Amino acid sequence: MKISSGTTPFGGRVLVVVVAVSVLVWSSFCSAAFNVSYDKRSLIINGERKLLISASIHYPRSVPEMWPGLIKTAKEAGINTIESYVFWNGHEPYPGYYYFGERYDLVKFVKYVQDAGMYMILRIGPFVAAEWNFGGVPVWLHYVPGTVFRTNDTPYEFHMKRFTTLIVNMMKKEKLFASQGGPIVLSQVENEYGGYEPAYGQGGKRYAQWAASMAVNTSTGVPWIMCNQYDTPIDIITTCNSFYCDNFNNLFPVAQPKIWTENWPGWFKGFGGPEPHRPPEDIAFSVARFFQKNGSVQNYYMFHGGTNFDRTSGGPFMATSYDYQAPIDEYGIPRLPKWGHLKDLHETIRLCEPILLYGEPVNIQLGPNAEADVFTDDSGGCCAFLSNVDNKTDTTVTFRQLSYHLPAWSVSILPDCRTVIFNTAKITAQSSVVEMLPQNLQPSDKNSKALQWEVFVEKAGMWGVPDLIKFGFKDQLNTTKDTSDYLWYTTSIFVNEDERFLRNRIQPVLFVESKGHAGHIFVNGELQGSPVGSGFPAAYNFSKPIDLKAGRNDIALLSMTVGLQSAGNYYEWVGAGITGVSIQGFNNGTVNLSDYTWTYKIGLEGENLGIYRLDGLYNVNWFLPPEVPKNQPLTWYKAIMDAPPGDDPVGMDMLHMGKGRAWLNGQGIGRYWPIASSLYGCVKECDYRGTFFPNKCPMNCGEPTQRWYHIPRSWFKPTGNVLVIFEEKGGDPSKINFGVRKTTALCATVSEDYPSNIQNYLRKDASVSHKNSTTVRLKCPENALISGIKFASFGNPTGTCGAYYKGDCHDPSSISVVEKVCLNKNDCAVELTEKHFTMSLCPNITKKLSVEAVCN
Ligand SMILES: *[C@@H]1O[C@H](CO)[C@@H](O)[C@H](O)[C@H]1NC(C)=O
Ligand SMILES: *[C@@H]1O[C@H](CO)[C@@H](O)[C@H](O)[C@H]1NC(C)=O
Ligand SMILES: *[C@@H]1O[C@H](CO)[C@@H](O)[C@H](O)[C@H]1NC(C)=O
Ligand SMILES: *[C@@H]1O[C@H](CO)[C@@H](O)[C@H](O)[C@H]1NC(C)=O
Ligand SMILES: *[C@@H]1O[C@H](CO)[C@@H](O)[C@H](O)[C@H]1NC(C)=O
Ligand SMILES: *[C@@H]1O[C@H](CO)[C@@H](O)[C@H](O)[C@H]1NC(C)=O
Ligand SMILES: *[C@@H]1O[C@H](CO)[C@@H](O)[C@H](O)[C@H]1NC(C)=O
Ligand SMILES: *[C@@H]1O[C@H](CO)[C@@H](O)[C@H](O)[C@H]1NC(C)=O
Ligand SMILES: *[C@@H]1O[C@H](CO)[C@@H](O)[C@H](O)[C@H]1NC(C)=O
């Protein structure tokens, strides 16, 4: 690694850590150029029908150093396509000024996908929603006179076309469309517009038609799609976004394939909210049902959610983590068993791919809620999906003279129309315990024992030259144009000596009204409270008795946005900021400060001086106090430290801080805010059966929405890392810690009645016993071996990974059998057969084998 300097798009020079990269040589896996066509069954690429199982990975939500690993981890799960939006406001920070560096290096990302031998779906938008600041549209565009977003509006269409064309031309120049031998097989224009279009009347209708025509006119040689759009022309494919798309029919079912652009395997979370949770059994069910019902392109949104670094999160209140409970977690580690269960599903579907795409389906009703869809082809191939969509009741069906047990809300896949090798409700994939292991921050200065936190404290209120002085209130977004989260509104009130409250104990009451999103209220430099808005658009009222003195009193309101709206009708007009201030309890009644003179200052002094950037650090005099100040508002903290040892992913523990922003070596880690979610509404266990919805299975109630903040490894150098924190309301920086993310336990449970797995099914020596036996499979991360078996029980063990317990039925040889097969191997498979276990044990229960292993 070396340090070099670079220029940010925002004008300042920063030092950036650059990982030494040799000249990248892009292999060209699919150099054949072919236009992508389609019919009602599938996309046709290079003359062949293709089944796309796709994974959304948004390039700016991780760092280029992580991209190859994320793409590889997706591919290992049986994914053959990567999907991403294009993030306009990251690429065009000023009109006509473009940025494609670092996390925004779109070409590099697409080439990594190409290198991995995968396809790409490029959702250009350029409106994207995506829980991304302002839905991805640059805020400056809102201030181009006469602009209304997402309707038949000249400036909007001009800028949208200019950016879309720029991206298309950039891809063409690099030969990245499949028609040029590149990986891009589909592009998307606009995003989920159908639901909003009616609110824009005829303008909306014209705009949708215009967008489609504008896109098609770019002649990419690959089809364009529009998702959740209901009036597209025939040359655009309409696609489905939902938790389920088996019943989706696109506008032109006789001419277009069935495409699912967003299957949500989890959900986003907002500061103050719980952790959403979608069970793997239900995700697998939805996917299997989609392919059962003629689907041919399915994308997980998200497969890796990643991180809303810096100020990129949408709002109000989107958390910095965009983990999404995706199959690959925020830190890049497979989330088990979700990742593995979907991998098993994908591999099973792949076995059927040729039959599915070239065969003809027949539907057979097997019961009130059970049915088979059977695909057969000319060469005698046969693949069947048997489903039971009843949300409570298991059933047993007869199919081709054999009897099959179908758990409620599940699909069994039979790649030979006989052998069940996958059932969506039966997880045989391994699970794991992943933990953040605390690492104390180590000072880089070896002469100091403890970390030295230097501080710079901002004054409450005005600093420098006012940005605006006016009577009353101006909208916050109209004032800051989103150059900062923060806007100071300040004024003063003169209190006469004869005010009665100066002598009696009845304090006057300050009342503040705001459109949102949150604020810190200061009177004479003292923090009075930190109101937070709720609902949409996150308005709040604040009222509190305050101390005033005779003479001049300063009222300073730090109002802030916490991510701008990312969707909604006319969302760009919502605005934010203070709308009213008054004080009750004067001799003359209530004084309404709303028409006083207010002085506005955009942003913080430290922000303005760039003291979080490596080249701006010394623009203020930092002070090294004998002890680091705690619970002090408006304080910048700076410390210099070593990287945590090893190469595991790193998170920063902000549990004991209030609210603010953080940077490492000038890179924006994001907003931090360990605000807790409500105590109520969570579930202990999630019943996967039945229709899923975002708050069906929330977890983590009463805990901070986000305690840990991802800092990419590549942002660290071994020593001399500068961590800068801006704390708004008060916290304890001495408790800030790093954690490294490690898998501390690996487990698997398989029951006797589970289907045989794909490996057994595919065995060449396939004896009947192998075909029908179930197997526990364990696999450590690359370069690690199974170093111990912490638990193994064949019988009726209970519990979950990390906490299994033996039941009253237990085969005493369990541990030694598993040790013999697994120890010192990277992966192993233990079959539930007579060879290993006493299969006749406790004959009247269905036995299972649970194993917990340690990898080192
Ligand atoms: C696309 O091209 C057609 C044919 O040249 C033209 O009529 C149409 O106006 C174009 N659409 C847009 C949005 O420019
Ligand atoms: C591929 O598509 C482009 C753009 O629509 C078109 O100009 C070209 O003729 C097509 N090529 C083939 C081989 O069909
Ligand atoms: C699937 O395709 C077949 C053959 O075209 C058709 O008969 C059947 O109705 C389709 N099923 C669904 C759910 O679209
Ligand atoms: C009411 O009292 C406040 C506080 O003493 C003073 O600033 C204000 O000028 C008074 N307003 C009127 C209309 O007298
Ligand atoms: C704030 O108070 C005003 C006036 O009392 C009221 O109209 C408004 O609905 C309140 N807003 C919120 C968010 O409570
Ligand atoms: C921002 O300013 C524009 C132009 O003056 C105005 O039309 C708009 O309503 C303002 N927005 C808000 C949220 O107040
Ligand atoms: C203060 O004055 C503003 C306009 O000048 C008005 O909208 C608001 O309702 C008043 N607030 C109170 C508490 O009287
Ligand atoms: C189960 O299905 C029934 C009948 O379709 C429906 O009324 C009920 O709401 C469903 N329950 C769940 C939990 O999905
Ligand atoms: C197992 O089955 C036997 C005989 O059928 C019965 O006596 C015994 O109670 C059963 N045990 C359990 C735990 O159900």
Side-chain angles (χ1 to χ4, degrees):
M1 276 197 244
K2 66 171 185 176
I3 298 184
S4 70
S5 61
T7 306
T8 66
F10 309 105
R13 289 183 64 72
V14 294
L15 284 175
V16 292
V17 181
V18 174
V19 175
V21 259
S22 48
V23 178
L24 291 163
V25 183
W26 306 109
S27 66
S28 45
F29 87 98
C30 49
S31 44
F34 40 78
N35 282 355
V36 174
S37 64
Y38 54 85
D39 62 11
K40 69 169 181 178
R41 187 65 192 97
S42 72
L43 294 183
I44 299 168
I45 304 176
N46 205 9
E48 265 184 69
R49 295 189 175 284
K50 287 287 172 192
L51 199 139
L52 267 48
I53 303 181
S54 172
S56 280
I57 300 177
H58 291 160
Y59 52 97
R61 283 177 156 143
S62 57
V63 292
E65 291 78 1
M66 289 172 70
W67 294 343
L70 295 174
I71 293 166
K72 179 165 173 266
T73 306
K75 190 174 179 177
E76 281 169 7
I79 297 287
N80 67 349
T81 308
I82 300 293
E83 192 235 52
S84 181
Y85 281 129
V86 173
F87 295 84
W88 187 2
N89 53 10
H91 292 302
E92 194 175 355
Y94 303 106
Y97 179 99
Y98 298 103
Y99 179 70
F100 288 91
E102 297 194 22
R103 293 203 309 282
Y104 291 94
D105 195 341
L106 173 61
V107 166
K108 182 186 261 188
F109 182 79
V110 179
K111 286 187 173 179
Y112 278 138
V113 173
Q114 179 171 32
D115 275 1
M118 297 168 86
Y119 299 117
M120 175 94 207
I121 299 174
L122 193 66
R123 302 173 84 193
I124 299 177
F127 168 84
V128 297
E131 293 73 62
W132 186 264
N133 196 47
F134 226 42
V137 182
V139 172
W140 57 255
L141 184 51
H142 180 47
Y143 294 99
V144 170
T147 305
V148 181
F149 290 5
R150 306 180 80 199
T151 187
N152 186 30
D153 168 86
T154 307
Y156 188 74
E157 289 181 353
F158 170 82
H159 286 281
M160 173 168 166
K161 180 175 177 182
R162 185 168 76 163
F163 182 72
T164 305
T165 310
L166 178 104
I167 295 296
V168 166
N169 289 343
M170 179 179 267
M171 297 301 110
K172 281 184 179 172
K173 180 161 167 273
E174 302 287 338
K175 302 207 178 325
L176 292 173
F177 286 105
S179 52
Q180 307 172 290
I184 303 172
V185 291
L186 288 175
S187 324
Q188 180 178 299
V189 63
E190 246 295 335
N191 186 63
E192 297 183 337
Y193 188 60
Y196 302 106
E197 187 178 312
Y200 294 85
Q202 280 308 307
K205 189 122 198 106
R206 281 200 299 274
Y207 166 69
Q209 301 302 315
W210 171 86
S213 163
M214 184 272 290
V216 169
N217 283 3
T218 60
S219 304
T220 57
V222 307
W224 285 89
I225 55 174
M226 290 178 98
C227 57
N228 287 7
Q229 182 72 36
Y230 314 109
D231 58 1
T232 49
I234 180 86
D235 47 1
I236 300 257
I237 309 174
T238 53
T239 69
C240 180
N241 293 356
S242 183
F243 287 109
Y244 308 91
C245 285
D246 46 341
N247 293 322
F248 172 72
N249 267 315
N250 69 35
L251 272 182
F252 306 103
V254 291
Q256 301 186 344
K258 190 157 158 178
I259 299 183
W260 190 356
T261 28
E262 293 191 16
N263 180 1
W264 307 306
W267 199 246
F268 54 82
K269 63 182 182 180
F271 285 121
E275 183 82 36
H277 175 82
R278 186 178 183 198
E281 296 93 332
D282 178 57
I283 307 167
F285 170 78
S286 70
V287 175
R289 283 285 298 168
F290 181 69
F291 287 109
Q292 174 175 1
K293 293 296 171 189
N294 298 349
S296 62
V297 178
Q298 192 269 157
N299 174 68
Y300 296 98
Y301 182 102
M302 304 295 297
F303 204 76
H304 169 256
T307 310
N308 293 314
F309 294 113
D310 212 1
R311 299 176 59 241
T312 57
S313 72
F317 307 132
M318 283 304 142
T320 295
S321 168
Y322 197 64
D323 177 84
Y324 219 92
Q325 286 280 318
I328 304 176
D329 78 11
E330 178 176 8
Y331 295 83
I333 298 175
R335 170 169 278 116
L336 303 176
K338 194 174 273 188
W339 180 91
H341 191 50
L342 296 176
K343 173 184 163 84
D344 291 346
L345 167 66
H346 302 154
E347 288 175 353
T348 308
I349 291 172
R350 286 271 169 238
L351 289 180
C352 291
E353 178 172 0
I355 311 167
L356 289 184
L357 295 180
Y358 291 96
E360 274 298 316
V362 173
N363 177 269
I364 305 165
Q365 208 60 35
L366 302 174
N369 285 315
E371 62 180 339
D373 285 276
V374 187
F375 294 76
T376 49
D377 67 10
D378 297 342
S379 64
C382 184
C383 169
F385 293 78
L386 310 190
S387 62
N388 176 10
V389 301
D390 194 294
N391 59 28
K392 303 203 288 292
T393 316
D394 294 4
T395 186
T396 297
V397 298
T398 303
F399 172 67
R400 298 194 165 198
Q401 281 98 52
L402 293 176
S403 163
Y404 295 89
H405 178 77
L406 291 176
W409 206 253
S410 82
V411 180
S412 283
I413 304 178
L414 294 63
D416 58 359
C417 285
R418 250 187 104 77
T419 321
V420 176
I421 63 166
F422 185 85
N423 176 278
T424 57
K426 293 179 173 176
I427 299 179
T428 60
Q430 66 186 4
S431 54
S432 65
V433 177
V434 180
E435 291 179 279
M436 294 304 261
L437 303 179
Q439 313 281 308
N440 290 332
L441 302 187
Q442 294 297 324
S444 286
D445 176 358
K446 295 304 165 215
N447 294 322
S448 52
K449 282 207 193 70
L451 202 66
Q452 312 251 293
W453 285 104
E454 293 180 280
V455 301
F456 166 67
V457 183
E458 300 241 350
K459 278 205 319 272
M462 262 302 297
W463 55 271
V465 182
D467 288 310
L468 176 73
I469 300 174
K470 78 179 286 286
F471 296 112
F473 299 112
K474 181 177 171 182
D475 176 78
Q476 177 158 350
L477 191 55
N478 275 355
T479 310
T480 63
K481 302 195 162 57
D482 199 38
T483 50
S484 170
D485 282 2
Y486 303 106
L487 177 62
W488 281 110
Y489 293 79
T490 63
T491 195
S492 53
I493 175 167
F494 193 86
V495 172
N496 297 327
E497 302 270 354
D498 64 358
E499 287 296 345
R500 280 187 295 274
F501 66 73
L502 293 172
R503 276 168 294 282
N504 66 25
R505 284 158 159 221
I506 301 163
Q507 289 170 297
V509 176
L510 173 68
F511 182 62
V512 178
E513 281 178 79
S514 171
K515 270 190 276 181
H517 306 159
H520 301 296
I521 311 293
F522 294 85
V523 175
N524 294 324
E526 294 292 320
L527 181 60
Q528 306 297 315
S530 302
V532 175
S534 63
F536 184 82
Y540 63 82
N541 287 345
F542 172 82
S543 117
K544 193 178 179 229
I546 55 169
D547 286 326
L548 292 177
K549 57 185 194 236
R552 178 185 148 149
N553 292 267
D554 294 320
I555 312 288
L557 311 175
L558 182 60
S559 175
M560 59 227 159
T561 51
V562 189
L564 300 183
Q565 268 78 13
S566 57
N569 297 327
Y570 301 98
Y571 74 94
E572 77 273 29
W573 300 92
V574 171
I578 307 293
T579 52
V581 178
S582 58
I583 305 177
Q584 279 170 26
F586 292 102
N587 294 354
N588 61 17
T590 295
V591 173
N592 189 342
L593 297 173
S594 300
D595 35 26
Y596 271 45
T597 299
W598 289 83
T599 303
Y600 291 69
K601 189 68 199 178
I602 299 169
L604 310 164
E605 185 172 10
E607 241 186 329
N608 195 268
L609 294 171
I611 66 172
Y612 53 87
R613 295 198 312 257
L614 294 182
D615 67 344
L617 279 182
Y618 296 102
N619 290 345
V620 293
N621 290 318
W622 294 88
F623 164 65
L624 180 63
E627 226 181 286
V628 62
K630 295 170 188 166
N631 297 319
Q632 176 173 290
L634 304 179
T635 306
W636 292 84
Y637 296 96
K638 170 169 81 73
I640 301 189
M641 62 198 56
D642 288 351
D647 52 13
D648 294 305
V650 182
M652 181 164 66
D653 184 357
M654 300 301 264
L655 183 62
H656 299 279
M657 295 300 284
K659 177 179 181 300
R661 294 180 59 198
W663 297 262
L664 185 84
N665 296 327
Q667 301 269 16
I669 296 167
R671 301 185 182 96
Y672 68 84
W673 195 7
I675 183 173
S677 67
S678 142
L679 280 170
Y680 308 102
C682 281
V683 297
K684 275 220 176 64
E685 300 250 331
C686 185
D687 186 350
Y688 68 84
R689 298 171 305 174
T691 307
F692 185 77
F693 48 94
N695 45 12
K696 180 177 175 189
C697 293
M699 296 188 175
N700 224 28
C701 277
E703 298 291 320
T705 301
Q706 189 176 357
R707 168 176 179 175
W708 295 95
Y709 295 80
H710 178 212
I711 309 179
R713 265 285 170 190
S714 59
W715 288 1
F716 283 98
K717 2 177 215 176
T719 187
N721 298 285
V722 184
L723 180 63
V724 175
I725 310 280
F726 174 69
E727 170 56 48
E728 296 167 10
K729 60 179 183 182
D732 182 356
S734 71
K735 298 220 168 73
I736 293 176
N737 222 348
F738 288 149
V740 297
R741 197 160 174 83
K742 272 198 188 291
T743 301
T744 53
L746 206 56
C747 305
T749 290
V750 162
S751 172
E752 276 181 311
D753 64 348
Y754 275 23
S756 165
N757 63 31
I758 194 164
Q759 288 81 6
N760 288 349
Y761 174 79
L762 290 177
R763 269 187 186 180
K764 286 278 179 292
D765 66 339
S767 65
V768 174
S769 95
H770 283 146
K771 274 210 172 191
N772 292 336
S773 68
T774 55
T775 307
V776 160
R777 303 181 71 85
L778 292 170
K779 181 167 181 13
C780 295
E782 238 174 289
N783 307 324
L785 300 178
I786 296 170
S787 59
I789 302 297
K790 277 176 101 173
F791 182 92
S793 175
F794 178 70
N796 60 354
T798 55
T800 54
C801 190
Y804 283 125
Y805 307 97
K806 263 183 243 173
D808 50 16
C809 174
H810 169 72
D811 184 337
S813 64
S814 303
I815 285 247
S816 62
V817 164
V818 175
E819 280 179 344
K820 192 157 157 248
V821 180
C822 293
L823 275 186
N824 301 316
K825 303 229 176 81
N826 172 261
D827 63 347
C828 65
V830 186
E831 270 179 60
L832 272 59
T833 57
E834 205 52 67
K835 182 177 149 209
H836 291 135
F837 303 102
T838 313
M839 298 308 287
S840 55
L841 202 67
C842 339
N844 46 6
I845 62 165
T846 307
K847 295 178 289 300
K848 58 187 173 184
L849 171 63
S850 290
V851 178
E852 177 178 337
V854 185
C855 296
N856 266 316

